[in-house]
Every structure is written in structure tokens, then in C-alpha cells.
Amino acid sequence: MTAYLLRRLLSFVATLLGAAIVIFLVLEILPGDPAAVTLGLNAAPEALAALRAEMGLDQPALLRFFSWLAGLVTGDLGLSYTYRVPVTQLIGERMVVTLPLASMAILLASAIGIPLGALAAANHNRAGDAAVMVFAQAGLAIPNFWFGLLLVLVFAVGAGWLPAGGFPGWQAGFWPALKSLLLPAVALALPQAAILARVTRSAMLETMQEDYVRTARAKGVSRRRTMLRHVLRNALIPVVTVLGLQFSVLLAGAIIIENVFALPGLGRLVFQSIAQHDLIVVKDLVMLFSALVVFINFAIELLYGLIDPRLRQAS
């Protein structure tokens, strides 16, 4: 188990380093001068030169890369070109919105998609199976931003049960903050629940054809016990894989949903930083998203070893 963890940890570090190199190279070759964007087109050359020096843009690219990398390791992410505050502070203020939103969305998607997929597999080629497949097709076909607007129309404008947008902050109380995240979380969760339902159904139907499942039934084990203990557990590997992939999809979807619901999260900060050409914030945020995705995949690989110990030996 120790060797398995070390191999996965080395892969985790190497992937992060590769991501940092790609992110820096891509953003360094983008057109535009952050100093000129900050000061305006009519800025004096002396002012531009002074601001470029302050931003470190007058240094060689290799030196800037290693300086940025050292900052990532030490937690010193630099100063935002636009907001003139530490990037760490900006990210900390926005993360308390995005992480709860993504967590709520993934929990809702799992709570809806996995039971529906299991229901469809248990009722294969019957009415329950058909109903779940209709839900899955609808969930995949409806864009989450359009579904979010529909939720606002029904539950905020029509019923008045939930706020249409904005975020009061956790200091306003747990329930008011949670209410403001509920509609965007549901909007993000719908397509992911549809995917989970389809994957769970397919994985369970495939597992139901295995010899050990037929043996369990032949020994008199009830259908329900067989489905829960043997079929669902052994079908979890592809389901867990999809859950890991969905986290990155939720982070990307949060950029749109946070703008639809006017949430001051990381997704909205990315959108604003790109529009303002605030490259230091964009670099740090993209690196943060990459690190979160790599970490989730790392955790998923560890979970594989817990679900099926044979995978630890194979790797």
C-alpha cells in the first residue's frame, strides 16, 4: 500500500508541474500588455515602464516562471493588477462560495443519479427503466444556464421561496447563504445526475451478467441483497471515475452559473479577470482549478484501491 501511495503521489506532483508549465506558456504568449490595459491607451511611456517593472514584466520569462512557481509553493500568489490586493485574499473570499456550490452540486447529482441508475437497472426493460432514461435524456439535452433561468422563474419570481441571485455571505447566517446557493446547485447538478444515472445503469447491467451474481442468486440470496451487496458495489468503479471527471465539469460550469446568479465566486472572478486582462489572477486561478482536478483524480485513484484491492497489486 505504501508503494502504491508513493507512485500515485509522484504522478500527482509531476502532473501539477506539467500543468504549471503549460498554463504559464499559454498565458505568456497571449497578445496584450497588462500594464497598458491597466493604465489605458493614452498612458505615458514612463508610467507604462514603471508599472511593467512593478508587475515584473520587464524580467525574462524563465525568471518569471520560477518566481511564480516559488510563490505557488509558499502561498505568495502576488498582487492583482486590477484590484491591487493579494491574489490569495481574492481567492479566499471567492472560494467560500464556489467550493460549497460545487460540493452541493456533486452531492445532489450523486443522490439523484446513482439511485435512479440502480432503479433503472433493477427494472431493466420495464416502465421504471424507461422513465429514468427519459429523465437522463432530458437532463443531458437541457443547458444548465437555461435550466437555472427556469428555476429562477418558477421558485424565485413565481413562488418567492428562494432568492433569484446574489450571495449574502456566510456571516448573514447558514440558512440564508445556503438558500442563495440552492438554485444554482440544482442547475449544475441536473446534467451530472443524468450522466450518473446512465453510467450506473450500464455498469450494473454489465455486472449482473457476471458468474458470481448468478451464483449468489442460485444460493438463495434475495434479489435486493444481491443488487445492493454484489452488483452495485462492483459497479462502483466506472461510477467513481465519472464522479471525478464531473468535478472538473462543475468547475467549468460554475463560470456560467455564477454569472447567471450573480454569485461572487471563483468562476465569476475568472470571467472578470480575463475581461480585465489581469494575467496574474488568471494564471493563479487556472492553476488552482488544475490542482483541484488533479487532486480529485488522485483521491479517486486511492478510492479505487479501497473499492477493489486487486487494483493496488496491478499498479
Side-chain angles (χ1 to χ4, degrees):
M1 185 64 181
T2 303
Y4 175 80
L5 287 173
L6 285 175
R7 284 194 296 270
R8 290 293 173 263
L9 186 59
L10 287 174
S11 174
F12 174 73
V13 173
T15 304
L16 283 181
L17 181 59
I21 293 172
V22 171
I23 290 166
F24 185 84
L25 289 177
V26 169
L27 291 177
E28 281 296 311
I29 62 175
L30 283 177
D33 185 349
V37 171
T38 302
L39 294 179
L41 298 176
N42 299 321
E46 297 81 6
L48 280 174
L51 186 57
R52 284 180 59 83
E54 181 185 345
M55 292 178 172
L57 298 175
D58 58 336
Q59 299 175 353
L62 191 61
L63 183 60
R64 294 204 305 273
F65 172 71
F66 283 111
S67 176
W68 176 59
L69 203 61
L72 290 176
V73 174
T74 59
D76 181 11
L77 302 183
L79 199 67
S80 167
Y81 301 157
T82 302
Y83 299 99
R84 312 305 297 170
V85 297
V87 179
T88 307
Q89 178 183 334
L90 278 177
I91 291 177
E93 292 171 353
R94 307 299 182 97
M95 191 178 289
V96 297
V97 178
T98 298
L99 284 186
L101 174 62
S103 301
M104 286 174 62
I106 202 73
L107 288 174
L108 285 171
S110 303
I112 297 170
I114 294 176
L116 284 181
L119 176 66
N123 295 276
H124 184 47
N125 288 333
R126 287 187 280 183
D129 187 15
V132 171
M133 288 301 98
V134 169
F135 162 79
Q137 287 296 110
L140 291 173
I142 298 174
N144 56 14
F145 68 89
W146 184 88
F147 185 56
L149 294 174
L150 183 63
L151 290 173
V152 169
L153 184 63
V154 174
F155 294 101
V157 178
W161 295 342
L162 296 167
F167 184 71
W170 294 104
Q171 67 275 8
F174 178 77
W175 178 237
L178 189 67
K179 283 200 304 182
S180 67
L181 295 179
L182 189 55
L183 291 184
V186 172
L188 279 174
L190 176 68
Q192 308 312 318
I195 294 171
L196 274 178
R198 292 176 67 92
V199 170
T200 303
R201 174 183 179 272
S202 299
M204 289 186 66
L205 288 177
E206 183 178 347
T207 306
M208 286 166 65
Q209 306 303 317
E210 298 290 341
D211 291 337
Y212 59 83
V213 175
R214 288 194 290 268
T215 301
R217 293 290 290 141
K219 288 182 176 180
V221 180
S222 67
R223 177 177 174 81
R224 180 182 178 185
R225 185 177 177 85
T226 302
M227 293 293 291
L228 292 176
R229 184 168 183 177
H230 298 285
V231 177
L232 181 58
R233 180 177 179 180
N234 287 283
L236 281 179
I237 292 293
V239 175
V240 168
T241 302
V242 171
L243 277 173
L245 295 173
Q246 283 183 330
F247 187 81
S248 58
V249 175
L250 287 173
L251 288 176
I255 297 177
I256 300 174
I257 290 297
E258 286 180 2
N259 280 280
V260 169
F261 287 90
L263 295 175
L266 293 176
R268 198 173 186 198
L269 181 60
V270 169
F271 182 81
Q272 293 168 339
S273 300
I274 292 174
Q276 296 159 349
H277 213 79
D278 198 344
L279 287 187
I280 185 66
V281 178
V282 175
K283 275 193 300 187
D284 290 337
L285 283 174
V286 175
M287 190 62 210
L288 174 64
F289 288 155
S290 301
L292 286 173
V293 171
V294 173
F295 175 76
I296 290 297
N297 289 330
F298 174 69
I300 292 298
E301 289 187 359
L302 295 182
L303 192 56
Y304 287 163
L306 295 177
I307 295 173
D308 190 348
R310 294 173 299 177
L311 296 176
R312 296 200 299 265
Q313 300 170 359
S315 59

